Amino acid sequence: MLGCLTFVAPFSPSPLLSLHRFSPLSVPSSPSGLLKFASRRFSITATKAESLSTMAVDAENVGSVKRQLAHLFEVSLRTTVPSEPDIAPLVEPCAAKSGVKFGDYQCNNAMGIWSKIKGKQAEFKGPPSVGQAIMKNLPPSDIIESCSVAGPGFVNVVLSRNWIAQSLQRMLIDGIETWAPRLPLKRAVVDFSSPNIAKEMHVGHLRSTIIGDTLARMLEFSHVDVLRRNHVGDWGTQFGMLIEFLFEKFPNPEDVNEAAIGDLQTFYKASKVRFDSDPEFKQRAQQAVVRLQGGETRYRDAWKQICEISRTEFHRVYERLGVHLEEKGESFYNPHIPGVLEELNKKGMIEDSEGARVIFLKDVNIPLIVVKSDGGYNYASTDLTALWYRINEEKAEWIIYVTDVGQQQHFDMVFKAAKRAGWLPADDNSYPKATHVGFGLVLGEDGKRFRTRNTEVVRLVDLLDEAKNRSKTALLERDTAKEWPEEEVEKTSEAVGYGAVKYADLKNNRLTNYTFNFDQMLNDKGNTAVYLLYAHARICSIIRKSGKDIEEVKKNAKIALDHEDERALGLHLLQFSEVVEEACTNLLPNVLCEYLYNLSEIFTKKFYSNCQVVGSPEEGSRLLLCEATAIVMRKCFYLLGIVPVYKI
Ligand code: ARG
């Protein structure tokens, strides 16, 4: 199968073998570009025999309705147009047209097939007849209740209620992990957060931390081994200045500690003032950089002390956010830079330009500087080396960088260089691949870059404090919470406050700027974490109030979806897996947020408004629907890095 791939991996191909496990039918959802991607992958990676052999394995992927339908349509396509074995099924959930839906899912292959076979297969007179044939050739299956052909050959599928109900019941027994998507890769690097030592960790880093953590969680859930990398800026000329300043302030290294130094940012600013105003200090600082890079013990030790203090500060934020990261800072890659540049040089990629060493890249009007005119390395040389390391040493197949959109060109150039070097294939849809996940600015309510009243930058710790305190005040205004033990109040206000900050960020398309507004994010109505967390708590309380042991109900009751709102809820629950797959494939956490919000709306406004749960003849089945909703909601919360609450 590897022979069918369009590139030869520059390293041992073993991670790529994972592609075997995936059916070419692993079609990413919706945007049309991705559909093209799907059919392309199909054509380069599979033959008919292979796709059939992968079917059994793909059956592991029981969670995805879309994939299961795609299997059925694939069988039909092979019979309908035997002359076109490379056509992949295009299956999507149906969108409502003027409020009417013709089915739950739709197969959209007819028109594409018609344009390929026109005149070749006499039995077809146009796309509608191709659609009819696709429908007729579908193998029998208990998934489908009925099918119809609409317009230019769209095949609409109505899913069987029974099958939806059984799938939910099975998930309740086997666990939601059985609904985890399978992605065609084994290992990924997510490079996120990555603040700079001694400089402020600003809201941009907060966004990177929140988005990166969610992407990592979604990939991990999808069975990918994720290396969560904190690429901290722990190297660079600023360290000369910091170290000299440290020597001045603390002639005795033993006196250096966090308490003595205080806030590192203030320390940084003071050293900068000294640097700018005293030429003699400046000179010493510049020499300090050289001595640090030369490895002199005293300088290395001072550098380590500064990094350690910074690390403790960062760690406090990560701990509160529940984010886990593994630090491999810029300095880690230093020893590898000369070798990597030598390799690029041998490939004829590096040129001299105004005293610097640079790489010129196609369609980019500025060169990528890899050695500065003073002989030093820079951000780009480090990133090129880190990318080389991640591909070749760590064997990552997908390397994801989460930073503000301002760094897009930098990454674009680094990736282009890596392709030219042959580390990455030219085709963006093949693995290994590198992706820059950009995000917009955080704005204040004045529409300008987010700042607080009196400080220039917003300290993340203050921000989290405020979110927590505000949610605590709101919580204590509720009668129920007044009797809660202090610890519970604390925990709930943290879950709600931090959850609100995260969700407000994640629910937007990450590329857009977003306005930071406490009142909005802490509102208990509308699309906020507060609303969602409360909705979840309410579902838990319905189950509690029934007085039934849900584990017993699982054993004894059977889900039935007779009411149309029960069916709508059941179907939405079942779409969890394909939504996570889409959010992962396109690196868009907002897709999952939207799903979660809709789930909560369908539960509250449709199901719970129209279907009595406790005390009704359908109580058992409906309690199971409540439980399934709570389970799916909790998994969404988990993937979004939000701690659920069970009580309000
Ligand atoms: N330290 C950088 C900054 O604060 C972000 C680093 C992102 N990662 C990378 N591999 N360049 O802007």
Side-chain angles (χ1 to χ4, degrees):
M1 173 149 172
L2 279 168
C4 307
L5 292 170
T6 50
F7 69 96
V8 178
F11 52 83
S12 133
S14 58
L16 288 165
L17 288 174
S18 58
L19 285 170
H20 276 298
R21 303 196 339 259
F22 297 92
S23 154
L25 303 174
S26 37
V27 184
S29 41
S30 53
S32 57
L34 284 158
L35 295 178
K36 276 184 231 136
F37 165 77
S39 49
R40 193 135 106 242
R41 270 201 44 194
F42 182 70
S43 62
I44 59 169
T45 56
T47 62
K48 185 179 164 190
E50 276 163 351
S51 63
L52 289 177
S53 71
T54 52
M55 263 173 106
V57 190
D58 206 36
E60 271 175 42
N61 214 61
V62 290
S64 172
V65 183
K66 214 161 95 170
R67 279 172 183 259
Q68 300 200 50
L69 285 175
H71 276 313
L72 299 177
F73 278 102
E74 199 207 359
V75 175
S76 164
L77 290 178
R78 299 293 80 91
T79 319
T80 311
V81 273
S83 58
E84 302 286 340
D86 287 347
I87 293 175
L90 305 175
V91 177
E92 289 301 325
C94 285
K97 287 199 187 83
S98 338
V100 186
K101 265 199 198 177
F102 294 104
D104 301 313
Y105 283 80
Q106 196 171 58
C107 169
N108 302 332
N109 283 90
M111 286 207 290
I113 292 180
W114 172 249
S115 66
K116 283 195 165 179
I117 59 159
K118 221 182 311 190
K120 288 192 218 155
Q121 261 176 276
E123 74 262 40
F124 298 128
K125 287 167 194 66
S129 61
V130 177
Q132 290 290 347
I134 295 175
M135 179 170 86
K136 195 184 95 234
N137 291 326
L138 273 171
S141 154
D142 54 2
I143 302 179
I144 298 176
E145 191 156 292
S146 65
C147 274
S148 59
V149 177
F154 297 126
V155 184
N156 292 306
V157 173
V158 176
L159 297 174
S160 138
R161 279 172 205 260
N162 259 340
W163 181 76
I164 301 176
Q166 281 164 13
S167 306
L168 294 176
Q169 193 111 27
R170 217 171 312 132
M171 182 280 279
L172 284 174
I173 293 162
D174 299 339
I176 188 140
E177 310 302 322
T178 55
W179 280 4
R182 302 244 162 208
L183 299 186
L185 70 151
K186 272 194 182 148
R187 182 173 295 159
V189 164
V190 183
D191 174 324
F192 69 108
S193 193
S194 310
N196 302 315
I197 300 281
K199 293 193 190 161
E200 90 280 359
M201 185 174 179
H202 52 70
V203 277
H205 295 122
L206 177 70
R207 275 206 98 174
S208 172
T209 309
I210 292 173
I211 297 171
D213 179 52
T214 294
L215 297 178
R217 282 169 186 260
M218 292 196 297
L219 288 163
E220 283 155 357
F221 178 61
S222 310
H223 304 280
V224 177
D225 171 24
V226 178
L227 310 178
R228 297 164 156 258
R229 287 287 181 263
N230 202 359
H231 190 86
V232 297
D234 62 355
W235 204 246
T237 44
Q238 83 268 25
F239 278 97
M241 175 181 97
L242 286 165
I243 290 171
E244 273 313 319
F245 197 61
L246 190 81
F247 288 161
E248 247 180 36
K249 290 268 155 195
F250 302 96
N252 179 5
E254 256 129 62
D255 298 340
V256 179
N257 57 50
E258 206 191 346
I261 288 198
D263 180 7
L264 252 189
Q265 285 164 47
T266 318
F267 186 81
Y268 178 87
K269 278 188 200 141
S271 71
K272 182 89 172 75
V273 171
R274 186 92 176 78
F275 184 86
D276 290 336
S277 61
D278 182 346
E280 192 266 329
F281 178 85
K282 188 170 176 174
Q283 212 183 3
R284 260 192 291 143
Q286 282 160 346
Q287 280 160 7
V289 179
V290 180
R291 299 173 82 163
L292 171 66
Q293 288 176 350
E296 264 184 56
T297 318
R298 182 159 171 255
Y299 289 79
R300 287 298 278 205
D301 289 348
W303 170 75
K304 275 192 206 147
Q305 280 180 318
I306 295 168
C307 291
E308 196 47 44
I309 293 174
S310 219
R311 204 167 281 137
T312 318
E313 274 177 25
F314 298 154
H315 194 73
R316 247 175 250 140
V317 175
Y318 297 139
E319 208 158 30
R320 292 176 74 163
L321 290 173
V323 171
H324 158 75
L325 274 148
E326 194 198 336
E327 184 181 314
K328 266 200 170 48
E330 293 181 8
S331 65
F332 174 85
Y333 302 97
N334 275 342
H336 301 283
I337 297 178
V340 167
L341 293 186
E342 185 46 34
E343 182 190 324
L344 298 179
N345 195 33
K346 277 202 195 120
K347 290 182 168 150
M349 287 172 58
I350 302 183
E351 298 171 39
D352 283 321
S353 171
E354 296 170 32
R357 305 274 292 153
V358 307
I359 302 178
F360 284 100
L361 297 154
K362 227 175 107 204
D363 303 325
V364 193
N365 49 13
I366 51 166
L368 184 68
I369 301 174
V370 292
V371 186
K372 294 184 292 183
S373 50
D374 66 5
Y377 301 130
N378 61 6
Y379 194 51
S381 19
T382 307
D383 259 330
L384 267 178
T385 306
L387 182 53
W388 168 87
Y389 188 87
R390 290 162 178 182
I391 299 169
N392 296 297
E393 298 291 317
E394 297 185 312
K395 310 268 186 259
E397 294 150 281
W398 198 2
I399 300 113
I400 296 164
Y401 298 82
V402 189
T403 78
D404 62 289
V405 285
Q407 298 199 31
Q408 193 184 324
Q409 187 178 49
H410 163 77
F411 286 109
D412 183 43
M413 289 167 77
V414 170
F415 300 165
K416 277 197 167 126
K419 285 179 189 169
R420 230 179 106 184
W423 304 339
L424 293 175
D427 168 11
D428 281 330
N429 296 325
S430 308
Y431 294 95
K433 67 178 171 182
T435 310
H436 175 232
V437 170
F439 54 80
L441 291 175
V442 184
L443 304 177
E445 275 155 80
D446 54 3
K448 299 202 186 111
R449 225 174 233 276
F450 188 44
R451 287 169 208 277
T452 46
R453 286 167 289 278
N454 38 29
T455 53
E456 272 171 63
V457 286
V458 182
R459 289 186 20 151
L460 294 189
V461 183
D462 299 340
L463 208 103
L464 296 176
D465 279 342
E466 183 157 353
K468 177 186 166 182
N469 291 336
R470 283 184 183 230
S471 69
K472 188 169 169 181
T473 312
L475 188 66
L476 290 175
E477 275 164 16
R478 292 172 168 260
D479 288 335
T480 39
K482 284 187 182 131
E483 284 108 53
W484 287 8
E486 176 62 19
E487 200 193 319
E488 198 160 352
V489 172
E490 285 296 300
K491 275 204 174 133
T492 308
S493 13
E494 275 175 17
V496 174
Y498 303 163
V501 172
K502 289 185 179 184
Y503 189 80
D505 190 330
L506 295 169
K507 78 169 182 187
N508 303 293
N509 182 314
R510 57 178 162 73
L511 289 164
T512 56
N513 295 342
Y514 99 94
T515 306
F516 196 97
N517 179 323
F518 275 121
D519 291 331
Q520 246 167 41
M521 68 176 73
L522 289 165
N523 196 330
D524 59 6
K525 290 175 200 73
N527 191 359
T528 65
V530 188
Y531 161 76
L532 294 165
L533 286 167
Y534 284 5
H536 170 259
R538 228 169 280 126
I539 299 173
C540 296
S541 100
I542 299 169
I543 299 173
R544 271 197 309 271
K545 280 188 188 140
S546 76
K548 298 272 158 46
D549 173 355
I550 199 73
E551 293 309 316
E552 284 303 308
V553 184
K554 277 188 203 172
K555 281 185 218 144
N556 302 322
K558 240 181 96 189
I559 297 180
L561 303 172
D562 297 324
H563 193 287
E564 122 189 53
D565 293 328
E566 291 173 319
R567 187 187 188 280
L569 177 63
L571 176 60
H572 194 75
L573 286 168
L574 209 54
Q575 288 170 328
F576 170 74
S577 174
E578 61 199 48
V579 169
V580 178
E581 183 172 345
E582 183 190 340
C584 252
T585 314
N586 301 336
L587 303 169
L588 289 176
N590 62 309
V591 169
L592 186 64
C593 294
E594 195 183 305
Y595 170 84
L596 173 60
Y597 179 65
N598 288 338
L599 174 58
S600 170
E601 291 280 279
I602 294 173
F603 182 90
T604 317
K605 302 209 169 125
K606 287 189 174 176
F607 171 74
Y608 199 57
S609 303
N610 301 324
C611 305
Q612 187 195 340
V613 178
V614 180
S616 71
E618 300 88 353
E619 187 185 84
S621 162
R622 290 184 177 169
L623 280 174
L624 292 181
L625 280 175
C626 290
E627 174 71 1
T629 306
I631 288 175
V632 171
M633 284 188 90
R634 279 199 291 276
K635 190 47 90 180
C636 291
F637 287 139
Y638 175 80
L639 296 175
L640 298 170
I642 297 173
V643 178
V645 299
Y646 292 80
K647 225 168 97 176
I648 43 160

